[in-house]
Every structure is written in C-alpha cells, then in structure tokens.
Amino acid sequence: MNNRAIHLPHDDQDCGWYAALPAPAAPRRLTGRQQVDYAVIGAGFAGLAAARQLAEHVPDARIVLVDAQRVGYGASGRNSGFVIDLPHKMALEHPDPAHKQRLLGLNRSAIAQLQRLIGEHRIDCQWSHAGKYQGAVGARGLAYLEHFEHLMRELGEPFHSVEGDELANVLGTRHYRRAVYTPGSYLMQPAALVRGLADSLPGNVELLEESPIQGLQRDAQGQWLLQGRDGQIRTPRLLLGTSIFTQEFGYLRSRLLPVMTFASWTRPLTQAEMDAIGMQADWGLTPADHAGTTVRMTQDRRLMIRNTYKHVPRYGKSVSDSTRQEIRAGHRKALISRYPQLANVEFTHTWGGVYAISRNFTNFFGELEDGVYATACDNGVGAAWGTISGTLLADLAVGADSQSLSDIRNVTGMPSRNPPEPLLGLGVRTRIRLAAWNSRSEL
C-alpha cells in the first residue's frame, strides 16, 4: 500500500491548556533508518496507553511512539478537561442494557488506570474527583434533562437534582434553571495529564515528537515503512492512535467526519472576584442539550466556555482567523450572559480541537489488515475512551485476551459510510447550523 500525500495536523497556536504549561524540553525527532518491533503513531491518550501497555507486555521489545506535533499540543490536550464514566450521548440511549454496562465498565477501568498512573508518577494535572453537572437554561434544556434522568434511572446510576441556591452557590450564577449532578466523572488539565503520561513512559518506549509520518507502505518482506521528513521507521506491527487522521493513512476513508469544537478561557480570577460572584473553584458543567454550552471552572480559577461546532474537512486549515474571532465573540456573549459581573474580564486564549465522529455513532477498534491495528472515532469522548481503547489495542496486538477485550469488541464496529462530496459537507454544515439554531436558548 502506498498513500498519496498525507494531510497533517494544523492546530492553532492559542490553546490555553498548553500555554499554561512550562516550556517542554527539546524534542527528540525521527532521523535515519529505525528498525523497531512495534510502532505507534499518535501520542494522544490512545497512543500513549497503547505504547505503555505494549512495553509492559514485551519489556524487551523496541517500541517507538511518534507524533507529528509536541505531546499535548493536539486534540488530547485541547478538550474541556472531563474524564466521564457514563456512556456518552447516543450511547446512553442504546436499547441494550448490557451494551451500556460494558461501556460504563470500560470507562471506569480507564479512570482507575489514569488515577493509578497519576499517583505513581506524581503527575501534576489538577486531577479531581469533582463529578459533573448537566445544566438546563430553558424549556428545551429542561426537557433534555428530564430525559437524561430517565436514562440514568434505567442504567441504575446515582444522580442528584440541583437547583436554586444550591446550584447558584457552586456555579456563581442563576442563569441555569436546574442541573443534574452525577458523581463518577473526574476533572483534569488535559495538556498537563498527557505530557505527564508521556514523561513517565517505560524505558523501552522511544518518544519521537515533531516527526510527521508522510508516507506508509509495505515492503517486499511484509514490513511496514513509515516515512518521515528526515527518517524512516520499519516495523512488522503498527498501531494507529490517530483518530480522524487514520483516514490519511488510507483506512476508514469516507467513514469518519472531522468536527472541530472551540473553547475560550479567562485569566485566573482573583479570590476577590470569586467571592463577589459567590462561585466555587473546580467544577464542570455540560449542557443537557448537546449543542449548548459547556462551562468549566478550573482549580486555578479560570472560567472556560466551550461551544460552536464546525465541519473541518481540511482540519485546522478549514478555520480562518476571522472565524476564530467570531467564535470568540460568541463565547464572550455566553460568558457575560452567565456572569455580567465579569464584563471587564477578557479571554486570554481561544482554541479549537478536531475529533472524529461517525454517522452511526460507532467507534472502530481492531485489526485493519495484517499487522495494522487501530482505535479510531471517539465520537467526542476522548480521555476515557482513548485510554482504555489504546490499552486494549496493545492487548489485541500481542494476543492477550481478557474480559475487557471481549467487552470492547462487543461495543465497537464499523463506522457507516458517508455520502460523497459535496453532499456530505452540505449535509453536515446544515445539521450543525440547525442544531445551533434549535439550541440557541441553551447557548
């Protein structure tokens, strides 16, 4: 197999999570010809977990983990900082209770794994068992919230309805009519967590950053050749933790949809500002209406607003600076509607992150062809799903069976095929605009 030119990540330079970290050490890049036992492409949650698990299974193997950017700069370092245990959105509505229980078990296994690694390696990433609020502003949001409560009862999971003073004393605003609190989610600083996981990789994993793979083919001996700008990796076994970019290597083409969502945050609020508003630190709220606004208050007292979705067929290159400014203005409106007292507090960063969704909301996990394994299409649940699917992908690659491996095979499948362009782009853009219009009261 020989690919055409591979389109590489093109993320903006304004991610607040990444900017808040100290400057990293100089990267090690791919040079020369490297023969390895396993190669993993993509150093996000999935790739990091896969490389770590491979190293534990085969400690004498030479394993290379390669990324086009710096660790924490891509999608895994750009999310809202939730690690969610519950099945997500459409998955929560799945008609088979066993399917949802498998997802719940996989997500909680990922959380336990992350908590163990954070403790063992003393990763400073604002890790917190804070739970999660799901909030409603108007009648549309309240209807979604009631449906969510119904689904939680069916699942047998605990939740707590919060409103009035109890809710306002946490959020510092009466903008929300009601929220449902679920206790199983964790909060974190995603760029810090990803970097910490990379810094603590086992000794037989070599991390190569700023080393985009620009070509992939199989040689006459059946080995895979990963071609970089200044070097080449040759390996019999390849694991892809590349999310939407999996299609750039020739796999799952016309089955993944690249979507970008955007966030902005403020400088750290002063304690006086926090006291004046009556807000607690360290909480997160997602919208009951999925197209609404996510709000995070970090441990270091930054308020983050996330909403707005774009179809980005050229990834970051699909979004202009003027579009980012329009999005930032929309975030500003959402902030002031909730916190008019902060009218003089500006945003310091606005950024986007690309993830993959599928039309049938199905995640892919498994062997693509002999010696090539992938987990792709997280459908917007990156941290927990990436961690557990990457771990189990390594198990699959070395032939280590488990109940968890059986579970993930049962809940994954083949993303459905997309219609051809220009129908695809027109349909996705229309659906996003319609969702934004219908959900405008929740923004």
Side-chain angles (χ1 to χ4, degrees):
M1 183 174 116
N2 198 347
N3 291 320
R4 298 172 293 176
I6 290 176
H7 295 92
L8 299 170
H10 189 80
D11 291 311
D12 60 69
Q13 301 179 34
D14 203 31
C15 177
W17 296 118
Y18 192 85
L21 300 179
R28 182 181 177 191
R29 300 184 178 93
L30 172 61
T31 58
R33 294 179 180 271
Q34 309 292 329
Q35 176 70 51
V36 304
D37 298 299
Y38 296 88
V40 182
I41 304 179
F45 283 109
L48 286 162
R52 185 183 300 275
Q53 188 76 346
L54 284 173
E56 293 182 3
H57 280 307
V58 281
D60 296 328
R62 185 182 180 197
I63 301 161
V64 164
L65 172 60
V66 59
D67 198 280
Q69 303 182 112
R70 297 307 304 267
V71 169
Y73 197 85
S76 288
R78 291 171 175 265
N79 60 54
S80 297
F82 293 87
V83 189
I84 299 173
D85 62 332
L86 297 170
H88 194 53
K89 296 182 180 178
M90 296 299 179
L92 194 57
E93 298 179 336
H94 197 282
D96 182 5
H99 180 95
K100 292 186 280 193
Q101 289 297 332
R102 290 186 183 104
L103 287 171
L104 192 63
L106 290 167
N107 289 339
R108 287 179 173 164
S109 178
I111 290 172
Q113 179 176 327
L114 289 171
Q115 183 153 339
R116 174 179 59 80
L117 292 170
I118 289 165
E120 285 181 4
H121 301 290
R122 300 182 181 180
I123 299 173
D124 183 8
C125 63
Q126 300 183 27
W127 182 256
S128 169
H129 189 185
K132 180 177 73 71
Y133 294 88
Q134 189 156 304
V137 177
R140 179 180 172 87
L142 288 171
Y144 274 102
L145 207 59
E146 290 175 5
H147 181 55
F148 176 68
E149 290 176 315
H150 169 72
L151 294 172
M152 292 296 290
R153 290 189 190 97
E154 283 190 338
L155 192 60
E157 286 296 309
F159 67 90
H160 172 54
S161 181
V162 191
E163 55 190 316
D165 290 344
E166 183 183 3
L167 185 60
N169 289 338
V170 175
L171 308 184
T173 178
R174 294 187 179 272
H175 184 77
Y176 292 93
R177 294 268 298 277
R178 192 163 69 87
V180 168
Y181 175 79
T182 51
S185 295
Y186 284 67
L187 301 178
M188 46 83 181
Q189 209 280 35
L193 175 53
V194 173
R195 186 184 288 182
L197 293 171
D199 290 342
S200 60
L201 285 169
N204 62 326
V205 177
E206 301 169 51
L207 173 63
L208 304 176
E209 299 175 272
E210 294 184 350
S211 300
I213 300 303
Q214 299 174 308
L216 175 65
Q217 65 183 61
R218 196 191 289 268
D219 68 12
Q221 290 73 44
Q223 299 264 311
W224 288 100
L225 301 179
L226 287 61
Q227 187 62 52
R229 282 190 295 237
D230 301 308
Q232 184 184 82
I233 300 170
R234 186 171 183 263
T235 182
R237 290 170 290 272
L238 172 63
L239 283 70
L240 298 175
T242 43
S243 186
I244 186 61
F245 295 98
T246 306
Q247 63 188 359
E248 298 297 333
F249 296 100
Y251 300 108
L252 304 179
R253 280 182 174 164
S254 300
R255 295 183 183 275
L256 306 180
L257 292 169
V259 174
M260 182 175 282
T261 185
F262 300 85
S264 299
W265 77 4
T266 68
R267 60 162 170 78
L269 301 182
T270 65
Q271 190 59 53
E273 288 168 331
M274 296 284 288
D275 293 342
I277 297 170
M279 183 193 305
Q280 296 181 17
D282 194 30
W283 53 264
L285 179 143
T286 59
D289 181 350
H290 305 321
T293 295
T294 294
V295 185
R296 271 289 316 272
M297 165 52 68
T298 65
Q299 284 187 7
D300 56 352
R301 304 194 301 262
R302 300 176 190 268
L303 257 176
M304 186 185 76
I305 299 290
R306 191 193 80 169
N307 60 38
T308 310
Y309 298 84
K310 298 286 183 184
H311 177 226
V312 286
R314 297 185 300 133
Y315 313 124
K317 291 183 178 179
S318 297
V319 182
S320 66
D321 289 339
S322 61
T323 298
R324 287 190 183 91
Q325 289 302 315
E326 292 174 6
I327 291 168
R328 188 182 183 114
H331 290 168
R332 181 83 183 152
K333 181 178 178 181
L335 176 72
I336 299 306
S337 68
R338 290 160 173 79
Y339 302 101
Q341 313 95 312
L342 299 180
N344 295 323
V345 177
E346 299 293 335
F347 289 129
T348 60
H349 298 82
T350 297
W351 65 93
V354 185
Y355 63 96
I357 64 173
S358 60
R359 292 174 63 237
N360 60 349
F361 297 97
T362 296
N363 309 71
F364 179 84
F365 173 92
E367 189 171 12
L368 291 161
E369 62 175 297
D370 185 32
V372 182
Y373 305 83
T375 171
C377 198
D378 58 28
N379 285 299
V381 194
W385 184 257
T387 298
I388 192 61
S389 65
T391 300
L392 295 173
L393 196 69
D395 289 351
L396 180 64
V398 302
D401 202 5
S402 68
Q403 183 60 53
S404 292
L405 186 57
S406 175
D407 286 344
I408 201 169
R409 283 169 155 166
N410 272 296
V411 298
T412 54
M414 181 59 71
S416 59
R417 190 173 293 279
N418 300 326
E421 293 288 6
L423 294 177
L424 174 63
L426 178 63
V428 174
R429 290 191 296 273
T430 300
R431 184 168 180 175
I432 288 174
R433 290 193 192 102
L434 180 62
W437 172 257
N438 289 336
S439 305
R440 62 194 183 277
S441 64
E442 301 296 313
L443 291 172

